[in-house]
Amino acid sequence: MSTDTLTADNIASVSLKEADADRDAFAQHLGKSFEEYGFAVLADHGIPDELIARAEEKAKEFFALPEETKRKYALGSGGARGYTPFGIETAKGAKAHDLKEFWHVGRELTPGHSFRDVMADNVWPDEVPGFKETFLELYDTFDRTGVTVLKAIARYLQIDEDYFTDTVRDGNSVLRLLHYPPQKEATGEHIRAGAHEDINTITLLLGAEEAGLELKTRDGRWIPVSPKPGELVINIGDMLQRLTNGKLRSTPHRVVNPTPDRASNARYSMPFFLHFRPDFMIEALPGTVGQGEEPKWPPISSHDYLMERLREIKLA
């Protein structure tokens, strides 16, 4: 496995093409980075450049709409679908809100699906032609890429490679379109995204090339995560940390404000929060709890845990 392309502090930077050549080495490289830093960078992930460019264009079109138009799509349902206005989301335990606005796309479910009572229907902005088609395509592509990453994680954990496939089938995954507006005046204690850990299983992030994303190391330092254009940043969420009894780290991360020379630039990104099925029970995997020890966290369903955390960040 090549180690000549490393981001700060040796966060793994790997190519999905290498997984085809040596799945075990790929899994080790990725898994060790997740264990130490909770983060890795993935190239050659298979999400087409054309789709990424189209999605970025559609997101920019939406966020450029007048405020009153965007607010038509603010449903007030915990931000699970549609638009969440600027200055709403607040990191757990923080008082200062984040300097961002966003749009959520969820899974499209068939009529009568058993998860419809906990997974809302999507809404779509009439003002942006092709928005629905573009983001449903991107959602499905992210979904498939996430399963591929989870197969490597399973290999690293020395469990069945297909273990995660059913746990995330019809999972409550969310594609978020993020807009951090230009900063033309002092922001005080507010930053683009306060320090937080992700709630979900794993996060796949496009658009982190614009500086600002940082992770917190075990020894308390903040270091930048700096992928090349088009690369995916992947990080472990709290659900997978609980499932692995802390073996894989859900790491605090943040998006800091730009330097003065970049303050007039907006920042756009598209994280995909891959979730377990709502009825999946999160409890420590066999082999992750030492003999005579108790798991670090009690069992909880994926849906109950999600709702608990959304209340903490003022989205429910």
Side-chain angles (χ1 to χ4, degrees):
M1 178 65 59
S2 171
T3 56
D4 56 355
T5 51
L6 297 175
T7 53
D9 261 49
N10 294 340
I11 303 164
S13 183
V14 296
S15 164
L16 204 52
K17 290 179 179 177
E18 295 178 48
D20 297 329
D22 190 336
R23 289 187 298 172
D24 287 327
F26 176 80
Q28 285 296 312
H29 207 59
L30 202 61
K32 285 177 180 174
S33 191
F34 287 146
E35 191 168 335
E36 179 61 28
Y37 299 104
F39 273 74
V41 175
L42 183 66
D44 306 310
H45 43 70
I47 302 176
D49 291 342
E50 180 278 328
L51 176 57
I52 296 171
R54 179 160 36 103
E56 289 175 347
E57 176 191 337
K58 298 299 178 188
K60 288 177 180 178
E61 281 184 49
F62 173 77
F63 289 120
L65 292 172
E67 189 68 20
E68 61 270 22
T69 303
K70 291 185 288 189
R71 283 184 177 268
K72 288 194 309 182
Y73 302 102
L75 307 180
S77 58
R81 303 290 183 267
Y83 178 61
T84 297
F86 183 85
I88 298 293
E89 187 170 27
T90 305
K92 178 182 175 182
K95 293 180 180 176
H97 61 71
D98 292 346
L99 303 178
K100 66 190 182 192
E101 57 180 339
F102 53 89
W103 180 281
H104 275 169
V105 177
R107 188 175 301 282
E108 295 273 283
L109 295 175
T110 55
H113 194 288
S114 60
F115 293 156
R116 289 188 72 86
D117 60 334
V118 294
M119 291 163 64
D121 289 334
N122 281 308
V123 294
W124 305 104
D126 299 326
E127 296 80 3
V128 184
F131 188 96
K132 175 180 179 178
E133 295 77 12
T134 296
F135 288 108
L136 286 180
E137 183 181 351
L138 184 60
Y139 187 105
D140 289 343
T141 307
F142 264 129
D143 214 18
R144 290 193 296 271
T145 304
V147 170
T148 301
V149 173
L150 287 172
K151 284 178 181 287
I153 290 174
R155 292 183 76 84
Y156 182 72
L157 295 172
Q158 298 182 325
I159 58 178
D160 187 281
E161 186 177 72
D162 294 318
Y163 170 82
F164 288 106
T165 304
D166 186 59
T167 71
V168 298
R169 184 177 287 116
D170 290 345
N172 197 4
S173 303
V174 173
L175 170 58
R176 175 181 283 189
L177 320 179
L178 267 169
H179 174 224
Y180 305 92
Q183 295 180 352
K184 299 173 183 174
E185 55 193 44
T187 59
E189 60 184 331
H190 302 279
I191 64 172
R192 284 182 158 173
H196 65 284
E197 298 89 42
D198 289 349
I199 299 169
N200 47 294
T201 310
I202 58 172
T203 301
L204 300 91
L205 171 67
L206 277 172
E209 304 93 277
E210 179 74 26
L213 179 62
E214 297 180 343
L215 70 83
K216 193 173 187 179
T217 62
R218 289 182 185 274
D219 57 5
R221 290 173 298 120
W222 287 99
I223 62 173
V225 182
S226 307
K228 298 184 180 70
E231 291 183 334
L232 275 177
V233 173
I234 303 174
N235 64 278
I236 302 298
D238 286 350
M239 290 185 181
L240 191 53
Q241 176 175 255
R242 287 178 76 109
L243 188 76
T244 62
N245 203 41
K247 179 177 177 66
L248 301 184
R249 293 187 70 211
S250 179
T251 306
H253 52 286
R254 65 187 183 185
V255 180
V256 297
N257 291 334
T259 54
D261 61 309
R262 300 293 296 173
S264 61
N265 291 65
R267 188 180 197 272
Y268 298 89
S269 64
M270 294 181 285
F272 182 76
F273 303 110
L274 189 147
H275 277 260
F276 292 128
R277 297 188 324 262
D279 61 354
F280 177 71
M281 189 60 65
I282 306 169
E283 52 187 324
L285 285 168
T288 61
V289 182
Q291 190 170 5
E293 296 179 3
E294 290 292 321
K296 293 179 180 177
W297 299 278
I300 188 171
S301 76
S302 169
H303 179 68
D304 286 347
Y305 184 67
L306 172 63
M307 296 312 296
E308 178 184 300
R309 292 294 305 280
L310 288 178
R311 287 189 288 271
E312 291 175 345
I313 60 173
K314 302 181 182 177
L315 285 184

